[in-house]
Amino acid sequence: MSEGTMPVKSRLKLLMAERNVQRVGAGQEPWKIRELAEAADLSPSVVSGLTSNRAVQVRFDTLYKLCRVLDCTPGELLEYVKE
């Protein structure tokens, strides 16, 4: 693995897009980063870092909060990418 690349990637951007399709289909407004952060009681910078794969670490309580709001598992939020 080259320096600076992580074998674990965030799938939050994709998961948000999937959930937004469901939300729009249900007549709700799609989530923006700030709104998802507020719903999950996280800072927008944490959510933004995960959607752009800039995050270097993820706390378990962050995973819990996102999983609770998005009704998903940590395995849906994170992906292992083989070298």
Side-chain angles (χ1 to χ4, degrees):
M1 171 182 358
S2 64
E3 190 174 320
T5 55
M6 293 291 296
V8 177
K9 301 288 183 194
S10 170
R11 294 186 71 252
L12 182 55
K13 188 174 187 174
L14 178 61
L15 198 56
M16 269 184 73
E18 291 170 358
R19 294 304 189 265
N20 278 339
V21 167
Q22 295 170 352
R23 287 177 63 84
V24 169
Q28 300 172 317
E29 289 290 319
W31 269 323
K32 295 182 174 96
I33 288 174
R34 182 170 301 283
E35 294 154 346
L36 177 59
E38 186 176 308
D41 193 28
L42 295 168
S43 76
S45 63
V46 168
V47 175
S48 177
L50 286 167
T51 58
S52 65
N53 272 303
R54 289 186 323 249
V56 179
Q57 62 185 1
V58 183
R59 294 172 44 153
F60 282 112
D61 67 324
T62 298
L63 289 176
Y64 164 74
K65 290 174 180 183
L66 288 170
C67 288
R68 182 177 42 86
V69 170
L70 295 170
D71 190 29
C72 67
T73 65
E76 291 173 280
L77 280 172
L78 302 173
E79 173 184 24
Y80 172 71
V81 181
K82 290 184 180 183
E83 297 180 47

